[in-house]
Amino acid sequence: MKLTYEELTTQLHTLGIPIAYRQWGENEAPTLPYLLFYRDESDDFMADNRNYWAVDQVSIELYTETKDFELETKLRELLESLEVPFKVFEGNLDSEQMYEVLFEIRI
């Protein structure tokens, strides 16, 4: 069964931190930690001038003040429980004074 955006959103909320699609409104960003998620691109299965199977590449961005191993592990375990393969990238955003861990998934 394919995971929907609604199911993904519901599951991400179980982490107990604020979540938004793509971005927060101006002056609405909550205090850290929080998650943003959004569709990067589609990679549909296509043949014979048709899209047979929709596949979206989705980014889940976890923002924290410093490296948060516990929260990152919770997100990793959540994705594993949903049987969603993922790749992980991370970096320090010095100008924003925050840490980002990016999970890329396909749904």
Side-chain angles (χ1 to χ4, degrees), residues 11-76:
Q11 292 298 318
L12 291 174
H13 276 290
T14 67
L15 295 171
I17 62 174
I19 297 169
Y21 186 84
R22 187 162 295 278
Q23 64 188 20
W24 300 100
E26 191 168 334
N27 298 320
E28 291 182 2
T31 58
L32 297 171
Y34 60 77
L35 279 175
L36 296 176
F37 75 101
Y38 54 90
R39 180 178 71 170
D40 272 331
E41 63 184 1
S42 66
D43 188 19
D44 296 357
F45 173 73
M46 299 176 280
D48 304 321
N49 296 320
R50 291 190 57 201
N51 289 46
Y52 283 96
W53 189 256
V55 179
D56 288 343
Q57 182 167 316
V58 176
S59 290
I60 302 171
E61 299 175 347
L62 172 61
Y63 293 97
T64 57
E65 288 185 44
T66 60
K67 177 81 171 160
D68 189 329
F69 291 99
E70 183 178 343
L71 189 52
E72 188 177 328
T73 299
K74 286 180 183 179
L75 179 52
R76 180 182 293 270

Side-chain angles (χ1 to χ4, degrees), residues 1-11 37 107:
M1 185 171 107
K2 184 178 175 192
L3 184 67
T4 66
Y5 280 97
E6 292 79 16
E7 292 165 334
L8 177 61
T9 303
T10 297
Q11 292 298 318
F37 75 101
I107 63 173

Side-chain angles (χ1 to χ4, degrees), residues 77-91:
E77 289 172 349
L78 173 65
L79 295 175
E80 288 172 352
S81 76
L82 297 171
E83 298 181 354
V84 176
F86 54 87
K87 293 180 184 178
V88 181
F89 307 90
E90 62 181 71

